[in-house]
Amino acid sequence: MQNKRTLDDWLNWQETLMEETIVLGLDRVQIVYDLLFPNGVPYAVITVAGTNGKGSTVSFIDSIYHESKYKVGRSTSPHLLKYNERFAIDGKEVTDELIIKAFELIETKREGVTLTYFEFSTLAALIIFAEASVDLAILEVGLGGRLDSVNVVDSDISIITNIAIDHTDYLGDTREAIGREKAGVMRTAKPCICGDQDPPQSLLSYAKEINTPLTLISKSYKNEIGLEGAHQKLNAAVAVKAIEKLKNKFPVTNNMISEGVKKARITARFEKIKIGNKTMILDVAHNPAAVKSLVETLSENPVETVAIFSALVDKNIVDMIELASGSINHWFLVPINAERSIELKVLKDKFVNSDSTTVCLNMSSAIEQSLKLEKVNRVVIFGSFYTIADASKIIKKFERY
């Protein structure tokens, strides 16, 4: 791979390196990490794992530290529209040039070791944050925990937001199995904060086995927060507890905490867009546990609601539909541009009442049809990151309605 390639060139090339999109395991990335950081990364690290709520929890932590004097890096995935969304320093996305420079360094160090797209992303984040001399990095786990490339870093504190059934092909099909995978981000004698309300025994046992001080969060944050939904108050409480555990090294005031929690924002987590007399809600809920939280937030304001929906074929789509059906008056089903997308006919067949669905040619058609329904107050778009990405690309043209 030669220099002077664009970011898109680099990303397209990375996608050709491995046949499979997801290849868990630390063997490959550990070799390159040790070459890049023989003494470990030169900053403190918070690692955030969990089935849902990772991105929101990262946002709360990032927003709180943004009120302070500390320089903070934030690494999240996946991105919605632009790869640069994955890396931010003090709340600002990094440039193509910084990402390319990190890729070039990885390329000089990897010595023939084959890396996945996500492993390149993880290592790039670590390099970018080191070059920027951040005080602290918040790293969101991509999938699971134990074998995720983020876990190559020994964190100062780990967070496990919750544990639900998802990605069963990789993590197991029980909460006990998945809990053990996520528990892999824990470190001996380093605190772990867990927001799951009924943590699996596998997680509790592993914490005890490796002597991890585990704090279980059962009470939601009481004050005003910047994100909607009762589940976000629990995510905020998890974030605040993590920051409190780091207060000796990174002291913050109570005012910084309350202001940061209040100002926290994240794209596509019950994100509201007003179009004419309708409220459009974008939410990346893509598994039953996330859909349950979405439905609970919708029920706080029960109005006539239609959905624009699609999901990946390997998700538990039937449960997602059943959970949401009580809150949705009609469904517009859309195709999504993804390797694991579901055929629309197969998706439609998963609905018990086919009269409640309309199959659309594309996202633009679905949005247009939903906005023309006079009695509808709210349009919720959900089911996958890909669904939201498709909506985000075209939604601006409808804001004239």
Side-chain angles (χ1 to χ4, degrees), residues 5-59:
R5 299 289 180 95
T6 66
L7 180 55
D8 281 344
D9 289 338
W10 276 97
L11 297 175
N12 291 335
W13 172 73
Q14 287 169 21
E15 287 178 341
T16 68
L17 294 180
M18 303 281 268
E19 277 189 31
E20 295 178 56
T21 309
I22 300 170
V23 185
L24 293 178
L26 298 183
D27 293 349
R28 298 175 310 279
V29 72
Q30 185 76 55
I31 294 167
V32 186
Y33 174 77
D34 289 342
L35 292 168
L36 288 164
F37 300 102
N39 301 313
V41 291
Y43 42 79
V45 170
I46 301 174
T47 297
V48 183
T51 305
N52 298 305
K54 296 188 296 291
S56 299
T57 304
V58 168
S59 290

Short mmCIF file of all heavy atoms in Angstrom, two decimals, residues 5-59:
data_model
loop_
_atom_site.label_atom_id
_atom_site.label_comp_id
_atom_site.label_asym_id
_atom_site.label_seq_id
_atom_site.Cartn_x
_atom_site.Cartn_y
_atom_site.Cartn_z
N ARG A 5 -2.43 7.89 -0.57
CA ARG A 5 -3.77 7.40 -0.88
C ARG A 5 -4.79 8.20 -0.08
O ARG A 5 -4.49 8.70 1.01
CB ARG A 5 -3.89 5.93 -0.52
CG ARG A 5 -2.93 5.01 -1.26
CD ARG A 5 -3.31 4.86 -2.72
NE ARG A 5 -2.40 3.99 -3.43
CZ ARG A 5 -2.60 2.69 -3.62
NH1 ARG A 5 -3.68 2.11 -3.14
NH2 ARG A 5 -1.73 1.97 -4.30
N THR A 6 -5.99 8.31 -0.61
CA THR A 6 -7.06 8.99 0.13
C THR A 6 -7.56 8.07 1.25
O THR A 6 -7.26 6.86 1.25
CB THR A 6 -8.24 9.33 -0.78
OG1 THR A 6 -8.85 8.10 -1.22
CG2 THR A 6 -7.80 10.16 -1.98
N LEU A 7 -8.33 8.62 2.16
CA LEU A 7 -8.91 7.81 3.23
C LEU A 7 -9.79 6.71 2.64
O LEU A 7 -9.73 5.55 3.09
CB LEU A 7 -9.71 8.69 4.19
CG LEU A 7 -10.38 7.98 5.37
CD1 LEU A 7 -9.37 7.18 6.18
CD2 LEU A 7 -11.10 8.99 6.27
N ASP A 8 -10.58 7.04 1.64
CA ASP A 8 -11.43 6.02 1.00
C ASP A 8 -10.59 4.91 0.38
O ASP A 8 -10.96 3.73 0.44
CB ASP A 8 -12.31 6.66 -0.08
CG ASP A 8 -13.52 7.37 0.51
OD1 ASP A 8 -13.83 7.12 1.69
OD2 ASP A 8 -14.14 8.19 -0.20
N ASP A 9 -9.47 5.26 -0.21
CA ASP A 9 -8.57 4.25 -0.77
C ASP A 9 -8.11 3.27 0.32
O ASP A 9 -8.12 2.05 0.12
CB ASP A 9 -7.32 4.91 -1.38
CG ASP A 9 -7.61 5.67 -2.66
OD1 ASP A 9 -8.63 5.38 -3.31
OD2 ASP A 9 -6.82 6.58 -3.01
N TRP A 10 -7.70 3.83 1.44
CA TRP A 10 -7.25 3.00 2.56
C TRP A 10 -8.36 2.07 3.05
O TRP A 10 -8.13 0.88 3.27
CB TRP A 10 -6.78 3.89 3.72
CG TRP A 10 -5.37 4.36 3.60
CD1 TRP A 10 -4.93 5.56 3.11
CD2 TRP A 10 -4.18 3.64 3.97
NE1 TRP A 10 -3.56 5.63 3.15
CE2 TRP A 10 -3.07 4.47 3.68
CE3 TRP A 10 -3.95 2.37 4.50
CZ2 TRP A 10 -1.75 4.08 3.92
CZ3 TRP A 10 -2.63 1.98 4.75
CH2 TRP A 10 -1.56 2.82 4.45
N LEU A 11 -9.55 2.62 3.21
CA LEU A 11 -10.66 1.83 3.76
C LEU A 11 -11.09 0.74 2.79
O LEU A 11 -11.36 -0.40 3.20
CB LEU A 11 -11.84 2.75 4.10
CG LEU A 11 -11.56 3.81 5.18
CD1 LEU A 11 -12.75 4.73 5.35
CD2 LEU A 11 -11.19 3.15 6.50
N ASN A 12 -11.15 1.07 1.51
CA ASN A 12 -11.52 0.06 0.50
C ASN A 12 -10.50 -1.07 0.48
O ASN A 12 -10.84 -2.25 0.37
CB ASN A 12 -11.62 0.70 -0.89
CG ASN A 12 -12.81 1.64 -1.00
OD1 ASN A 12 -13.79 1.50 -0.26
ND2 ASN A 12 -12.73 2.60 -1.90
N TRP A 13 -9.21 -0.71 0.61
CA TRP A 13 -8.15 -1.71 0.63
C TRP A 13 -8.26 -2.60 1.87
O TRP A 13 -8.13 -3.82 1.78
CB TRP A 13 -6.80 -1.00 0.58
CG TRP A 13 -5.63 -1.89 0.79
CD1 TRP A 13 -5.13 -2.82 -0.09
CD2 TRP A 13 -4.81 -1.96 1.97
NE1 TRP A 13 -4.04 -3.45 0.46
CE2 TRP A 13 -3.82 -2.95 1.72
CE3 TRP A 13 -4.81 -1.29 3.18
CZ2 TRP A 13 -2.84 -3.27 2.67
CZ3 TRP A 13 -3.84 -1.60 4.12
CH2 TRP A 13 -2.87 -2.59 3.86
N GLN A 14 -8.52 -1.99 3.02
CA GLN A 14 -8.64 -2.76 4.27
C GLN A 14 -9.75 -3.80 4.18
O GLN A 14 -9.62 -4.91 4.72
CB GLN A 14 -8.90 -1.83 5.45
CG GLN A 14 -7.69 -1.01 5.87
CD GLN A 14 -8.05 0.08 6.86
OE1 GLN A 14 -9.09 0.02 7.52
NE2 GLN A 14 -7.20 1.09 6.96
N GLU A 15 -10.81 -3.48 3.50
CA GLU A 15 -11.95 -4.40 3.39
C GLU A 15 -11.61 -5.62 2.54
O GLU A 15 -12.30 -6.63 2.61
CB GLU A 15 -13.16 -3.67 2.81
CG GLU A 15 -13.80 -2.70 3.81
CD GLU A 15 -14.97 -1.94 3.23
OE1 GLU A 15 -15.08 -1.87 1.98
OE2 GLU A 15 -15.78 -1.41 4.01
N THR A 16 -10.52 -5.55 1.78
CA THR A 16 -10.14 -6.70 0.93
C THR A 16 -9.19 -7.66 1.65
O THR A 16 -8.91 -8.74 1.14
CB THR A 16 -9.45 -6.21 -0.36
OG1 THR A 16 -8.16 -5.63 -0.02
CG2 THR A 16 -10.29 -5.18 -1.10
N LEU A 17 -8.70 -7.27 2.81
CA LEU A 17 -7.64 -8.05 3.46
C LEU A 17 -8.14 -9.35 4.09
O LEU A 17 -7.41 -10.34 4.17
CB LEU A 17 -6.95 -7.21 4.54
CG LEU A 17 -6.15 -6.00 4.02
CD1 LEU A 17 -5.52 -5.26 5.18
CD2 LEU A 17 -5.08 -6.45 3.03
N MET A 18 -9.37 -9.35 4.57
CA MET A 18 -9.93 -10.54 5.21
C MET A 18 -11.25 -10.89 4.53
O MET A 18 -12.06 -10.00 4.26
CB MET A 18 -10.18 -10.28 6.70
CG MET A 18 -8.96 -9.86 7.49
SD MET A 18 -7.86 -11.21 7.94
CE MET A 18 -8.51 -11.67 9.54
N GLU A 19 -11.46 -12.17 4.28
CA GLU A 19 -12.71 -12.59 3.63
C GLU A 19 -13.91 -12.31 4.52
O GLU A 19 -14.95 -11.86 4.07
CB GLU A 19 -12.66 -14.08 3.29
CG GLU A 19 -11.95 -14.36 1.99
CD GLU A 19 -12.09 -15.81 1.57
OE1 GLU A 19 -13.14 -16.41 1.89
OE2 GLU A 19 -11.16 -16.33 0.93
N GLU A 20 -13.76 -12.58 5.82
CA GLU A 20 -14.86 -12.37 6.76
C GLU A 20 -14.79 -10.96 7.35
O GLU A 20 -13.71 -10.45 7.63
CB GLU A 20 -14.81 -13.41 7.89
CG GLU A 20 -15.03 -14.84 7.41
CD GLU A 20 -14.90 -15.83 8.56
OE1 GLU A 20 -15.64 -15.66 9.55
OE2 GLU A 20 -14.08 -16.74 8.47
N THR A 21 -15.96 -10.36 7.55
CA THR A 21 -16.02 -9.01 8.11
C THR A 21 -15.62 -9.02 9.57
O THR A 21 -14.92 -8.12 10.05
CB THR A 21 -17.46 -8.44 7.98
OG1 THR A 21 -17.89 -8.60 6.64
CG2 THR A 21 -17.49 -6.97 8.33
N ILE A 22 -16.09 -10.03 10.32
CA ILE A 22 -15.82 -10.11 11.76
C ILE A 22 -14.93 -11.32 12.03
O ILE A 22 -15.31 -12.46 11.74
CB ILE A 22 -17.14 -10.24 12.55
CG1 ILE A 22 -18.04 -9.02 12.31
CG2 ILE A 22 -16.85 -10.39 14.05
CD1 ILE A 22 -19.45 -9.18 12.85
N VAL A 23 -13.74 -11.06 12.54
CA VAL A 23 -12.82 -12.14 12.91
C VAL A 23 -12.31 -11.82 14.32
O VAL A 23 -11.42 -10.99 14.50
CB VAL A 23 -11.63 -12.24 11.93
CG1 VAL A 23 -10.77 -13.44 12.28
CG2 VAL A 23 -12.12 -12.33 10.48
N LEU A 24 -12.92 -12.46 15.31
CA LEU A 24 -12.54 -12.17 16.69
C LEU A 24 -11.22 -12.85 17.06
O LEU A 24 -10.87 -13.88 16.50
CB LEU A 24 -13.65 -12.63 17.65
CG LEU A 24 -14.97 -11.87 17.56
CD1 LEU A 24 -15.98 -12.47 18.52
CD2 LEU A 24 -14.78 -10.38 17.86
N GLY A 25 -10.52 -12.27 18.01
CA GLY A 25 -9.25 -12.84 18.47
C GLY A 25 -8.20 -11.76 18.59
O GLY A 25 -8.18 -10.81 17.80
N LEU A 26 -7.32 -11.88 19.57
CA LEU A 26 -6.33 -10.84 19.85
C LEU A 26 -4.94 -11.17 19.31
O LEU A 26 -4.03 -10.34 19.39
CB LEU A 26 -6.23 -10.60 21.36
CG LEU A 26 -7.51 -10.09 22.05
CD1 LEU A 26 -7.24 -9.84 23.52
CD2 LEU A 26 -8.02 -8.83 21.37
N ASP A 27 -4.72 -12.37 18.77
CA ASP A 27 -3.38 -12.79 18.37
C ASP A 27 -2.74 -11.82 17.38
O ASP A 27 -1.60 -11.37 17.57
CB ASP A 27 -3.41 -14.20 17.76
CG ASP A 27 -3.79 -15.26 18.78
OD1 ASP A 27 -3.80 -14.92 19.98
OD2 ASP A 27 -4.06 -16.41 18.39
N ARG A 28 -3.48 -11.50 16.32
CA ARG A 28 -2.92 -10.64 15.26
C ARG A 28 -2.70 -9.22 15.78
O ARG A 28 -1.61 -8.64 15.64
CB ARG A 28 -3.85 -10.60 14.04
CG ARG A 28 -4.08 -11.93 13.37
CD ARG A 28 -5.11 -11.81 12.25
NE ARG A 28 -6.31 -11.11 12.69
CZ ARG A 28 -7.31 -11.68 13.36
NH1 ARG A 28 -7.23 -12.98 13.68
NH2 ARG A 28 -8.37 -10.99 13.72
N VAL A 29 -3.74 -8.64 16.34
CA VAL A 29 -3.67 -7.24 16.75
C VAL A 29 -2.67 -7.04 17.89
O VAL A 29 -2.04 -5.99 18.01
CB VAL A 29 -5.08 -6.71 17.10
CG1 VAL A 29 -5.60 -7.27 18.40
CG2 VAL A 29 -5.11 -5.18 17.12
N GLN A 30 -2.49 -8.08 18.73
CA GLN A 30 -1.55 -7.98 19.85
C GLN A 30 -0.11 -7.79 19.34
O GLN A 30 0.65 -6.99 19.90
CB GLN A 30 -1.62 -9.24 20.72
CG GLN A 30 -0.75 -9.18 21.96
CD GLN A 30 -1.35 -8.31 23.06
OE1 GLN A 30 -2.49 -8.53 23.47
NE2 GLN A 30 -0.60 -7.33 23.52
N ILE A 31 0.22 -8.50 18.27
CA ILE A 31 1.57 -8.39 17.71
C ILE A 31 1.85 -6.95 17.27
O ILE A 31 2.89 -6.37 17.60
CB ILE A 31 1.74 -9.35 16.50
CG1 ILE A 31 1.68 -10.81 16.98
CG2 ILE A 31 3.04 -9.08 15.76
CD1 ILE A 31 1.53 -11.82 15.85
N VAL A 32 0.90 -6.36 16.54
CA VAL A 32 1.10 -5.00 16.02
C VAL A 32 1.03 -3.98 17.15
O VAL A 32 1.81 -3.02 17.18
CB VAL A 32 0.07 -4.70 14.91
CG1 VAL A 32 0.37 -3.35 14.26
CG2 VAL A 32 0.05 -5.79 13.86
N TYR A 33 0.14 -4.20 18.09
CA TYR A 33 0.03 -3.28 19.25
C TYR A 33 1.36 -3.23 20.01
O TYR A 33 1.83 -2.15 20.38
CB TYR A 33 -1.10 -3.74 20.17
CG TYR A 33 -1.19 -2.96 21.47
CD1 TYR A 33 -1.76 -1.68 21.50
CD2 TYR A 33 -0.71 -3.50 22.66
CE1 TYR A 33 -1.84 -0.97 22.69
CE2 TYR A 33 -0.79 -2.79 23.86
CZ TYR A 33 -1.36 -1.52 23.86
OH TYR A 33 -1.43 -0.81 25.03
N ASP A 34 1.95 -4.39 20.24
CA ASP A 34 3.22 -4.43 20.99
C ASP A 34 4.34 -3.74 20.25
O ASP A 34 5.24 -3.15 20.86
CB ASP A 34 3.61 -5.89 21.29
CG ASP A 34 2.70 -6.53 22.33
OD1 ASP A 34 2.02 -5.79 23.07
OD2 ASP A 34 2.66 -7.78 22.40
N LEU A 35 4.30 -3.78 18.92
CA LEU A 35 5.31 -3.07 18.13
C LEU A 35 5.09 -1.56 18.18
O LEU A 35 6.05 -0.78 18.21
CB LEU A 35 5.26 -3.57 16.67
CG LEU A 35 5.73 -5.01 16.44
CD1 LEU A 35 5.37 -5.46 15.03
CD2 LEU A 35 7.24 -5.13 16.67
N LEU A 36 3.82 -1.17 18.18
CA LEU A 36 3.50 0.27 18.23
C LEU A 36 3.69 0.85 19.63
O LEU A 36 4.15 1.99 19.78
CB LEU A 36 2.03 0.48 17.79
CG LEU A 36 1.72 0.30 16.30
CD1 LEU A 36 0.22 0.15 16.10
CD2 LEU A 36 2.25 1.49 15.50
N PHE A 37 3.31 0.07 20.64
CA PHE A 37 3.32 0.57 22.02
C PHE A 37 4.00 -0.46 22.94
O PHE A 37 3.33 -1.15 23.71
CB PHE A 37 1.89 0.83 22.51
CG PHE A 37 1.14 1.85 21.71
CD1 PHE A 37 0.19 1.44 20.76
CD2 PHE A 37 1.37 3.21 21.88
CE1 PHE A 37 -0.51 2.38 20.01
CE2 PHE A 37 0.68 4.15 21.14
CZ PHE A 37 -0.26 3.74 20.20
N PRO A 38 5.32 -0.60 22.83
CA PRO A 38 6.02 -1.62 23.65
C PRO A 38 5.83 -1.41 25.15
O PRO A 38 5.91 -2.37 25.92
CB PRO A 38 7.48 -1.46 23.24
CG PRO A 38 7.57 -0.14 22.53
CD PRO A 38 6.25 0.13 21.95
N ASN A 39 5.55 -0.19 25.56
CA ASN A 39 5.32 0.10 26.99
C ASN A 39 3.85 0.40 27.30
O ASN A 39 3.54 0.95 28.35
CB ASN A 39 6.18 1.30 27.42
CG ASN A 39 7.66 1.04 27.22
OD1 ASN A 39 8.15 -0.01 27.60
ND2 ASN A 39 8.35 1.98 26.58
N GLY A 40 2.97 0.05 26.37
CA GLY A 40 1.55 0.37 26.55
C GLY A 40 1.25 1.79 26.11
O GLY A 40 2.16 2.58 25.85
N VAL A 41 -0.02 2.13 26.02
CA VAL A 41 -0.39 3.48 25.57
C VAL A 41 -0.06 4.51 26.66
O VAL A 41 -0.16 4.21 27.85
CB VAL A 41 -1.89 3.57 25.20
CG1 VAL A 41 -2.18 2.79 23.93
CG2 VAL A 41 -2.79 3.11 26.33
N PRO A 42 0.31 5.74 26.27
CA PRO A 42 0.76 6.74 27.24
C PRO A 42 -0.36 7.60 27.81
O PRO A 42 -0.20 8.80 28.03
CB PRO A 42 1.72 7.59 26.40
CG PRO A 42 1.14 7.56 25.02
CD PRO A 42 0.51 6.19 24.87
N TYR A 43 -1.52 7.00 28.05
CA TYR A 43 -2.65 7.74 28.61
C TYR A 43 -3.57 6.75 29.34
O TYR A 43 -3.46 5.54 29.14
CB TYR A 43 -3.43 8.49 27.52
CG TYR A 43 -3.66 7.70 26.24
CD1 TYR A 43 -4.65 6.72 26.15
CD2 TYR A 43 -2.86 7.93 25.13
CE1 TYR A 43 -4.84 5.99 25.00
CE2 TYR A 43 -3.04 7.19 23.96
CZ TYR A 43 -4.03 6.23 23.89
OH TYR A 43 -4.22 5.52 22.74
N ALA A 44 -4.42 7.31 30.18
CA ALA A 44 -5.39 6.47 30.89
C ALA A 44 -6.48 6.02 29.93
O ALA A 44 -6.77 6.70 28.94
CB ALA A 44 -6.00 7.24 32.06
N VAL A 45 -7.10 4.87 30.23
CA VAL A 45 -8.10 4.30 29.32
C VAL A 45 -9.34 3.85 30.09
O VAL A 45 -9.24 3.20 31.14
CB VAL A 45 -7.51 3.11 28.54
CG1 VAL A 45 -8.61 2.36 27.78
CG2 VAL A 45 -6.43 3.57 27.58
N ILE A 46 -10.50 4.22 29.55
CA ILE A 46 -11.78 3.67 29.99
C ILE A 46 -12.31 2.80 28.85
O ILE A 46 -12.49 3.29 27.73
CB ILE A 46 -12.81 4.78 30.30
CG1 ILE A 46 -12.31 5.72 31.39
CG2 ILE A 46 -14.16 4.17 30.71
CD1 ILE A 46 -13.21 6.92 31.64
N THR A 47 -12.53 1.52 29.11
CA THR A 47 -13.08 0.62 28.10
C THR A 47 -14.56 0.39 28.39
O THR A 47 -14.93 0.07 29.52
CB THR A 47 -12.34 -0.73 28.11
OG1 THR A 47 -10.96 -0.50 27.76
CG2 THR A 47 -12.93 -1.70 27.12
N VAL A 48 -15.38 0.55 27.36
CA VAL A 48 -16.84 0.44 27.53
C VAL A 48 -17.38 -0.70 26.68
O VAL A 48 -17.32 -0.66 25.45
CB VAL A 48 -17.55 1.75 27.16
CG1 VAL A 48 -19.06 1.64 27.42
CG2 VAL A 48 -16.96 2.93 27.94
N ALA A 49 -17.89 -1.75 27.35
CA ALA A 49 -18.50 -2.90 26.69
C ALA A 49 -19.99 -2.95 27.06
O ALA A 49 -20.45 -2.19 27.92
CB ALA A 49 -17.80 -4.19 27.10
N GLY A 50 -20.72 -3.86 26.44
CA GLY A 50 -22.15 -4.01 26.75
C GLY A 50 -22.94 -4.26 25.48
O GLY A 50 -22.48 -3.97 24.38
N THR A 51 -24.13 -4.80 25.63
CA THR A 51 -24.97 -5.09 24.45
C THR A 51 -25.54 -3.80 23.88
O THR A 51 -25.48 -3.55 22.68
CB THR A 51 -26.11 -6.06 24.82
OG1 THR A 51 -25.55 -7.23 25.40
CG2 THR A 51 -26.91 -6.43 23.59
N ASN A 52 -26.12 -2.98 24.73
CA ASN A 52 -26.68 -1.69 24.32
C ASN A 52 -26.22 -0.61 25.28
O ASN A 52 -25.82 -0.89 26.40
CB ASN A 52 -28.22 -1.76 24.32
CG ASN A 52 -28.76 -2.79 23.35
OD1 ASN A 52 -28.44 -2.77 22.17
ND2 ASN A 52 -29.56 -3.73 23.84
N GLY A 53 -26.31 0.62 24.82
CA GLY A 53 -25.99 1.76 25.71
C GLY A 53 -24.54 2.16 25.75
O GLY A 53 -24.17 3.09 26.47
N LYS A 54 -23.69 1.46 24.98
CA LYS A 54 -22.26 1.80 25.01
C LYS A 54 -22.02 3.22 24.50
O LYS A 54 -21.33 4.02 25.15
CB LYS A 54 -21.45 0.83 24.13
CG LYS A 54 -21.45 -0.61 24.60
CD LYS A 54 -20.49 -1.46 23.80
CE LYS A 54 -20.86 -1.60 22.33
NZ LYS A 54 -22.09 -2.41 22.11
N GLY A 55 -22.59 3.53 23.34
CA GLY A 55 -22.37 4.85 22.74
C GLY A 55 -22.87 5.98 23.62
O GLY A 55 -22.21 7.01 23.77
N SER A 56 -24.03 5.78 24.24
CA SER A 56 -24.59 6.81 25.12
C SER A 56 -23.72 7.00 26.35
O SER A 56 -23.46 8.13 26.78
CB SER A 56 -26.01 6.42 25.55
OG SER A 56 -26.85 6.30 24.44
N THR A 57 -23.25 5.90 26.93
CA THR A 57 -22.39 5.98 28.12
C THR A 57 -21.09 6.69 27.79
O THR A 57 -20.61 7.53 28.55
CB THR A 57 -22.13 4.56 28.67
OG1 THR A 57 -23.38 3.93 28.94
CG2 THR A 57 -21.30 4.61 29.95
N VAL A 58 -20.51 6.36 26.64
CA VAL A 58 -19.30 7.06 26.18
C VAL A 58 -19.58 8.56 26.06
O VAL A 58 -18.77 9.39 26.48
CB VAL A 58 -18.81 6.48 24.83
CG1 VAL A 58 -17.74 7.38 24.22
CG2 VAL A 58 -18.29 5.07 25.00
N SER A 59 -20.74 8.91 25.50
CA SER A 59 -21.09 10.32 25.32
C SER A 59 -21.21 11.05 26.65
O SER A 59 -20.78 12.20 26.77
CB SER A 59 -22.39 10.46 24.54
OG SER A 59 -22.20 10.08 23.21
#
